[in-house]
Amino acid sequence: MNTRRTTVVAEPRGQVALVSVGFPVLGAVVVWGLKSIAGWVAGLSWAPLQGPFTLVASIPEPWATVGSVAVGAVLGLVVAGIAAHERLVVEVFNEGVELLKGGKHRSFDRTLVSGVFLDGKKLVLLGVDSGELARENHDLKPEELADAFQSHGYQWLDGDPYRDDYRRWVDGTPDLPPGANGLLKVRAEALRKDDKEDADELRDELSRLGVVVREEKKRQYWRLARPLP
């Protein structure tokens, strides 16, 4: 039985451990620091948030210190959890690519991938119809990604070969497939609200219509995928 040769690209374990441990510690220190100056801030008539600082300053010791450290650590754990949820792991092998992020596992057969490139901090897999199979945020090392894909024979591109084809989207833009304007309008609202999950789902919906979309500072740009023969 042959063992599949797989190259995994992920954030270094030391970096992951630093985030997992460092954020709770940092949160505890920051909130404890705010507790320490609460009495001083409460005495400043011009300072904002007088109510919360006065309340914190009134809590007796050692409960004020214990509580501030505990609250800070919990907040740090929440931030570390969000970072872990957004962490991308890429598995590359001769027969395909697997992306693991946020508890989701996406697989792409090798025959569907025509090229791979980085668009800023996003990893993009191109399909054979010039559409995009995936566009994922990452904090991985570019050279490690390039080596992983090239070592398995994938075409690694210097940038988006279709970048000049994109046009700025405005509501009512002509030349789009039926229903695409409505999806782009809803997606614009999702981007405004920083609803990444909804924006990603709408990107997939647009992809099924043959529309490739990317954003810059919440402005959307689009192009049409090339129809397959």
Side-chain angles (χ1 to χ4, degrees):
M1 181 176 179
N2 293 326
T3 302
R4 185 177 74 182
R5 185 175 71 88
T6 303
T7 302
V8 178
V9 184
E11 292 182 29
R13 291 184 178 180
Q15 181 176 322
V16 173
L18 180 62
V19 170
S20 300
V21 176
F23 276 32
V25 171
L26 180 61
V29 170
V30 169
V31 176
W32 174 82
L34 291 174
K35 185 276 303 181
S36 300
I37 65 172
W40 174 71
V41 174
L44 301 174
S45 59
W46 51 265
L49 301 175
Q50 285 287 307
F53 279 107
T54 300
L55 176 62
V56 171
S58 67
I59 300 175
E61 292 290 358
W63 306 115
T65 296
V66 173
S68 63
V69 170
V71 169
V74 169
L75 291 175
L77 282 172
V78 171
V79 174
I82 293 173
H85 186 75
E86 294 296 318
R87 190 172 292 125
L88 177 67
V89 177
V90 181
E91 296 184 4
V92 187
F93 47 100
N94 291 346
E95 297 78 17
V97 182
E98 295 184 0
L99 303 179
L100 295 82
K101 185 177 183 180
K104 295 182 179 179
H105 187 171
R106 304 176 66 189
S107 299
F108 304 94
D109 190 89
R110 170 62 175 270
T111 59
L112 301 177
V113 183
S114 65
V116 188
F117 65 91
L118 295 179
D119 184 7
K121 295 295 290 182
K122 297 180 184 292
L123 173 68
V124 182
L125 304 185
L126 279 178
V128 293
D129 63 348
S130 81
E132 293 181 354
L133 300 172
R135 173 179 281 267
E136 295 286 355
N137 287 315
H138 74 93
D139 287 313
L140 305 173
K141 294 182 179 179
E143 59 274 15
E144 291 185 2
L145 285 169
D147 289 344
F149 282 99
Q150 289 176 325
S151 69
H152 290 276
Y154 290 82
Q155 183 179 19
W156 181 263
L157 305 169
D158 291 334
D160 190 346
Y162 304 104
R163 189 175 184 86
D164 293 339
D165 296 342
Y166 283 93
R167 297 163 54 187
R168 172 79 179 272
W169 175 78
V170 294
D171 194 10
T173 295
D175 304 325
L176 282 167
N181 267 305
L183 290 172
L184 285 162
K185 186 175 182 179
V186 176
R187 190 171 186 273
E189 182 65 14
L191 290 173
R192 188 185 69 81
K193 296 179 178 178
D194 289 324
D195 189 341
K196 296 180 181 180
E197 184 175 354
D198 196 30
D200 288 345
E201 289 182 2
L202 290 164
R203 182 197 301 280
D204 292 339
E205 290 289 335
L206 287 160
S207 178
R208 284 189 278 273
L209 295 178
V211 178
V212 185
V213 62
R214 61 191 300 274
E215 63 273 352
E216 293 180 8
K217 297 180 179 179
K218 299 185 181 181
R219 295 189 293 266
Q220 297 186 102
Y221 297 83
W222 65 274
R223 65 175 175 85
L224 296 177
R226 182 179 62 244
L228 289 173

